[in-house]
Amino acid sequence: LAIGQAGTSATWDPASIASGSSASTTVTVSGAALGDFALASFSLSLSGLSLSAYVSATNTVTVVIGNHTGAAVDLASGTLKVLVLKSI
């Protein structure tokens, strides 16, 4: 990782997500601080779901998967990767 970056990965198996709902999890990223930028990726197809991340507390990133597809979606277990970029 470059200077000013921190990251981690974790296994995540989100439960089935109903249309209009979301699921979230938190991961520890050492050095993350409120106001930093957070990015997330998932190792499997999101099947139309949206993925977002934000620093929710010191050393903690919250990742949210939202379902706006019109039907429930049940993703399999995959690898969640999170990258934090220090704010300017």
Side-chain angles (χ1 to χ4, degrees), residues 39-80:
L39 302 168
S41 67
F42 197 59
S43 61
L44 305 174
S45 169
L46 291 175
S47 300
L49 305 182
S50 61
L51 183 70
S52 62
Y54 62 96
V55 178
S56 53
T58 301
N59 299 324
T60 304
V61 173
T62 297
V63 179
V64 180
I65 293 181
N67 182 354
H68 307 286
T69 65
V73 176
D74 189 3
L75 298 175
S77 179
T79 302
L80 181 65

Side-chain angles (χ1 to χ4, degrees), residues 13-54:
D13 186 4
S16 180
I17 306 168
S19 178
S21 296
S22 62
S24 65
T25 191
T26 58
V27 293
T28 300
V29 180
S30 296
L34 294 173
D36 288 347
F37 300 95
L39 302 168
S41 67
F42 197 59
S43 61
L44 305 174
S45 169
L46 291 175
S47 300
L49 305 182
S50 61
L51 183 70
S52 62
Y54 62 96

